[in-house]
Amino acid sequence: MVAGEPNIPLRRLGLRLGLWNGLLLGLALALGAWASDAIFLAISRVQWVVYPALFLGSLILLLLGGLGGWLAAVVGRAWASLLIWLVIGSLMTWVIGHTPYEGRSLMVWLADRRSWGLTIYPFNETAATAAALAGFFILLLLGCMGLLQPYRLEGLVAEADEQGHLQGRGWFLLLLPLPLAVAVGLVADHMVNRPLRVAPQLVHEAIHTGRTYPGDLFELSQRTGLNYNAISAVRDQMSRRYSLSIGLVDLGVVDTIWVTADFDNGAWINCRVVAEQLAFCYDARPPYLQGFPAFITSGQMPADCPECAFAADEEQREWLRARSGMFRGPPRVGRLAQWGSYVLLQAESSAGDYAIQCLFSGVNPVHLERCWEVKAR
Amino acid sequence: MTTETLVRRQAPGQRTITRDDVVAWTLPELTGLRKLLGPEWYRLLHGLFTNPLSVAGLTIVTFFILMAALAPVLAPPLKVAADPYLIPRDGFGPKPQPPGSVWVKDVPEVPFWYPIITGKDHWVHLMGTTSGQFDIWYGVVWGARTALFAGIVVTFTTVIIGLIVGSISAFYGGWLDDVLMRITEIFMAFPFLLAALMMASILVPKFGRSIWPPTIALIVFGWTRYARVVRGDILSAKERDYILAGRVIGVKDSRLIIRHILPNVIYPILVLASFRLGDAVLSFAALSFLGVGTDIGYADWGQIISFARDWILSLDTHWYIIVFPGAALIIFGLGWNLIGDAMRDILDPRLRTVRG
């Protein structure tokens, strides 16, 4: 080997640098897309299920970036590299667009097998538009990176020392596009994640203020222009510890997000956020914990409690009426789980010898999806 | 600084500084940065930091970047605001309040520097309020973020699109050139602002009132000039000897474009981009002024100016509703234009020869 020449084959060095280039691009995009989202969601006390989705999304972006960088280095031609990175960019766009919806749903499914297959956070048309717009910027960036990769790698290989390690200028050239990738990630975050982030932030702020502000919330709302009064109906139910979760997302014409707050004292409220404005909050329990047991007992919705009503098709009603006698009195009802707007309840006879489970969906109105018998204690 | 100058300035009895001393003192530093950036970029950066025009421009732009970065300190948002870009308002009255008027309703946290400078504890409207009682100081400070965001996103994206379209069109020529240039001309046939206005209006129902409809509209109609400039430069560059030599020895098209042609035509694009960045912000503000931009109350200089529409006949009294946001827009544009001017001077080979 001639003195001054690298000890490792240039091709292997090129592949390694291509892999690093791709991994770093994927990491920078993931940081831009989700770092601030994770921080803001944590501050707003959003339930843990969002974080594994963000972690999984970041991991996929990292792997896709690494794959794209390595493949482009293997091929070594500018146009092929462009195509590879455009495909990788499309996949990354898909991941970034779907993570707040199907990504979270997947995490819920994995965390609780009973929720498997439920469309918890549907990916709707508005989300698709936002993802497409974010994708435009991602494809533009990654397309350029793809086109330039073979030539950037040449420069990087030339900057490596005999052991194949990068020195000052080499690192500079390798890291140079990363601020751009972070910026594109931030653009994607603004388009895709922000709409889902604002609602829990508003609810968290309202709950915090509702608990700590000693005066009249209506007067505070008038003074600040923010609707704290929305929380006043449930103010006496709120305890210090709580967690938030997104109940239902409808970013279409109505631009509504329902946020569910679970308090450690058992209180459970739903808040409606319309067009990034907190509209109202109310006790979520009546349809599940009053309407449902009343229907099992009497076969009718309680006439004197309109907020206890829930919707159910005739088949489900008949099924419940047919089993009314098995309970021999008012059943004990408990919430077993909640995934988004889906709520799983268990009704048990007072003697504990008979039990059913029912799955409800929706927020306002609540809809009975299906019921089934389970083995009692 | 020459050796002669150093010799002239030395104190009596001091050792004479030789050329070798100067070289030994300056070269390691210069070569380090030059090595890091490469000779052309180094010359550009060195020129930018030594040219008085560009130093003025850089100072202005840095001022706005700092203003954007320090916005939460300079103009603290309401503690409860979900979106800090929404300008807090002191009531809903139609009549603007003059600079220095006391903030009565919905008072944000007083910034730490305000009592230190003024000795007062009560936060005031430093630049007054607009019609609808939006605080102008808040809008100007947070509007710097919007301006930088819109300017950079629009300029960066249009440069990339222009580079791609222009280089493919010029390098391959023939029917591809015809098709791409006819498309470019179709886009150029529309009056820029009117076309952007129509496009943004179409996009608002799809994306809602946000920063994106005007940004996309400016991108869609903003790339054409870059494409034309790149095409013209590449048409000239591709006939030069080194490109022909490259073709003769079988260098691939992509390598010729990326390695040999684009690095030689990128500098005029940089100059144009620095000029157009200020233009992009002005166009964005114009769209906001016309009501197709951001949501009402969003921190955006164009929108703050639009609040002055009902008071246009009494600007002798309510001058502040237009002067402060207008000055921010003009100075921001001026900063980028100064940088563009300086870059043009630095990169113009004729000027370089005259100076050399």
Side-chain angles (χ1 to χ4, degrees):
Chain A
M1 183 172 285
V2 181
E5 277 195 0
N7 293 330
I8 62 167
L10 289 180
R11 179 161 170 76
R12 204 189 329 149
L13 180 59
L15 292 181
R16 201 172 75 191
L17 289 171
L19 178 70
W20 272 108
N21 177 49
L23 286 171
L24 287 170
L25 277 174
L27 181 68
L29 265 176
L31 275 177
W34 291 313
S36 62
D37 199 42
I39 293 168
F40 283 119
L41 290 175
I43 291 170
S44 303
R45 300 196 193 183
V46 175
Q47 272 178 357
W48 64 272
V49 76
V50 297
Y51 308 110
L54 299 188
F55 179 75
L56 181 68
S58 302
L59 193 66
I60 294 172
L61 287 201
L62 196 71
L63 294 176
L64 280 174
L67 178 68
W70 181 78
L71 270 180
V74 168
V75 177
R77 292 181 181 177
W79 297 110
S81 169
L82 167 72
L83 278 178
I84 288 168
W85 273 108
L86 286 179
V87 172
I88 293 290
S90 307
L91 293 173
M92 285 180 167
T93 303
W94 190 90
V95 171
I96 288 175
H98 284 73
T99 294
Y101 298 93
E102 275 104 341
R104 287 182 191 178
S105 300
L106 178 66
M107 288 304 124
V108 174
W109 294 350
L110 293 175
D112 191 338
R113 295 297 299 270
R114 292 171 298 181
S115 65
W116 194 265
L118 296 176
T119 312
I120 299 167
Y121 301 116
F123 183 74
N124 55 26
E125 196 191 336
T126 311
T129 309
L133 192 54
F136 167 73
F137 290 99
I138 292 170
L139 289 179
L140 201 65
L141 172 82
L142 294 185
C144 290
M145 289 294 107
L147 209 53
L148 295 176
Q149 177 164 320
Y151 307 107
R152 287 185 63 229
L153 288 188
E154 279 177 15
L156 288 173
V157 167
E159 293 295 333
D161 64 13
E162 290 165 17
Q163 277 73 44
H165 298 139
L166 289 180
Q167 301 304 315
R169 183 172 154 75
W171 279 109
F172 175 71
L173 292 175
L174 183 66
L175 302 177
L176 193 61
L178 298 193
L180 264 180
V182 173
V184 169
L186 284 170
V187 166
D189 170 59
H190 192 266
M191 291 170 179
V192 177
N193 300 324
R194 191 182 166 281
L196 294 179
R197 188 164 63 222
V198 171
Q201 277 181 295
L202 281 170
V203 173
H204 166 67
E205 178 56 40
I207 291 174
H208 176 71
T209 309
R211 282 192 53 258
T212 53
Y213 184 72
D216 180 20
L217 288 179
F218 180 73
E219 181 269 334
L220 182 68
S221 304
Q222 293 282 73
R223 197 152 48 79
T224 59
L226 286 155
N227 188 16
Y228 292 112
N229 199 40
I231 208 90
S232 57
V234 288
R235 200 175 179 186
D236 55 340
Q237 299 176 22
M238 298 187 298
S239 59
R240 197 167 71 85
R241 290 180 183 278
Y242 60 90
S243 65
L244 303 181
S245 59
I246 302 281
L248 199 65
V249 180
D250 184 0
L251 292 176
V253 181
V254 285
D255 195 2
T256 294
I257 294 178
W258 289 92
V259 178
T260 299
D262 277 294
F263 295 88
D264 65 348
N265 62 359
W268 166 23
I269 65 169
N270 283 334
C271 293
R272 183 178 188 173
V273 179
V274 183
E276 301 190 0
Q277 295 288 328
L278 182 58
F280 58 85
C281 298
Y282 63 91
D283 187 355
R285 290 171 293 187
Y288 308 105
L289 304 186
Q290 293 174 40
F292 180 54
F295 189 87
I296 291 175
T297 311
S298 66
Q300 300 294 328
M301 296 290 174
D304 55 344
C305 177
E307 68 272 18
C308 300
F310 60 88
D313 55 32
E314 201 47 46
E315 190 186 346
Q316 296 297 340
R317 286 167 187 260
E318 280 308 315
W319 193 92
L320 282 174
R321 284 190 191 113
R323 281 148 186 84
S324 176
M326 307 290 286
F327 288 93
R328 296 188 297 277
R332 285 199 306 263
V333 173
R335 181 171 55 146
L336 296 182
Q338 179 163 5
W339 316 292
S341 69
Y342 286 95
V343 175
L344 181 64
L345 292 184
Q346 174 152 322
E348 206 172 79
S349 64
S350 49
D353 57 348
Y354 182 73
I356 61 167
Q357 288 183 0
C358 291
L359 182 70
F360 291 83
S361 68
V363 177
N364 194 7
V366 171
H367 185 86
L368 176 61
E369 288 280 320
R370 59 179 185 273
C371 293
W372 59 95
E373 289 174 329
V374 291
K375 201 181 279 183
R377 276 183 291 127
Chain B
M1 192 179 284
T2 63
T3 313
E4 287 73 19
T5 323
L6 287 168
V7 170
R8 227 177 288 132
R9 285 183 184 171
Q10 68 180 320
Q14 200 175 346
R15 187 177 71 87
T16 306
I17 298 169
T18 63
R19 181 177 292 277
D20 288 344
D21 290 332
V22 175
V23 169
W25 175 63
T26 55
L27 268 186
E29 193 182 15
L30 292 181
T31 48
L33 191 61
R34 193 188 297 243
K35 198 179 165 194
L36 191 69
L37 298 173
E40 277 302 305
W41 288 102
Y42 173 77
R43 191 168 66 79
L44 178 63
L45 220 65
H46 183 260
L48 279 177
F49 282 102
T50 50
N51 182 314
L53 272 183
S54 66
V55 169
L58 284 172
T59 308
I60 292 172
V61 170
T62 309
F63 169 76
F64 280 105
I65 291 172
L66 284 176
M67 188 194 265
L70 298 175
V73 178
L74 294 171
L78 289 168
K79 274 185 181 171
V80 292
D83 188 355
Y85 286 88
L86 292 176
I87 307 172
R89 54 202 303 188
D90 189 359
F92 298 89
K95 192 178 178 196
Q97 301 298 317
S101 51
V102 175
W103 201 309
V104 182
K105 295 178 182 172
D106 196 8
V107 188
E109 193 184 344
V110 179
F112 76 91
W113 50 268
Y114 181 72
I116 297 170
I117 294 172
T118 63
K120 294 173 186 171
D121 291 333
H122 204 90
W123 192 214
V124 298
H125 299 289
L126 288 179
M127 292 179 171
T129 64
T130 64
S131 177
Q133 304 312 312
F134 292 102
D135 184 54
I136 298 176
W137 165 253
Y138 191 97
V140 168
V141 170
W142 284 82
R145 286 189 174 196
T146 309
L148 279 167
F149 178 83
I152 290 170
V153 169
V154 169
T155 307
F156 178 75
T157 313
T158 48
V159 164
I160 297 292
I161 297 172
L163 273 173
I164 293 169
V165 173
S167 49
I168 290 174
S169 173
F171 191 81
Y172 291 105
W175 66 268
L176 194 57
D177 183 31
D178 284 343
V179 170
L180 288 175
M181 281 305 108
R182 294 305 81 75
I183 292 171
T184 309
E185 280 159 11
I186 289 169
F187 276 92
M188 290 180 93
F190 295 101
F192 176 67
L193 203 58
L194 198 63
L197 178 69
M198 286 169 59
M199 183 83 184
S201 308
I202 292 166
L203 292 173
V204 165
K206 190 80 178 163
F207 295 103
R209 285 182 70 114
S210 72
I211 202 167
W212 293 110
T215 305
I216 296 167
L218 292 176
I219 290 170
V220 168
F221 290 98
W223 57 271
T224 53
R225 203 159 161 196
Y226 298 108
R228 294 296 290 257
V229 170
V230 170
R231 178 178 174 273
D233 284 347
I234 291 183
L235 280 178
S236 147
K238 78 172 187 177
E239 300 303 329
R240 291 192 188 142
D241 291 345
Y242 66 95
I243 300 297
L244 295 176
R247 285 189 167 184
V248 167
I249 61 169
V251 177
K252 283 183 289 186
D253 289 352
S254 59
R255 175 174 286 273
L256 278 176
I257 295 174
I258 294 168
R259 281 294 252 204
H260 301 291
I261 295 180
L262 279 183
N264 287 301
V265 302
I266 194 75
Y267 296 107
I269 293 298
L270 287 181
V271 174
L272 185 61
S274 57
F275 281 124
R276 299 282 289 173
L277 202 146
D279 285 352
V281 173
L282 281 174
S283 304
F284 187 89
L287 292 177
S288 289
F289 181 83
L290 294 168
V292 290
T294 51
D295 209 353
I296 292 172
Y298 196 88
D300 166 33
W301 296 336
Q303 191 175 128
I304 303 174
I305 295 174
S306 77
F307 293 140
R309 273 185 294 203
D310 294 341
W311 299 86
I312 213 95
L313 295 176
S314 60
L315 286 180
D316 53 337
T317 315
H318 303 110
W319 54 271
Y320 46 89
I321 55 178
I322 206 145
V323 164
F324 292 121
L329 259 177
I330 290 168
I331 296 170
F332 187 85
L334 177 73
W336 286 106
N337 280 352
L338 287 174
I339 292 175
D341 266 338
M343 276 171 75
R344 191 186 52 201
D345 291 353
I346 295 160
L347 297 170
D348 189 335
R350 284 166 301 182
L351 290 177
R352 205 192 318 174
T353 311
V354 170
R355 282 177 186 168

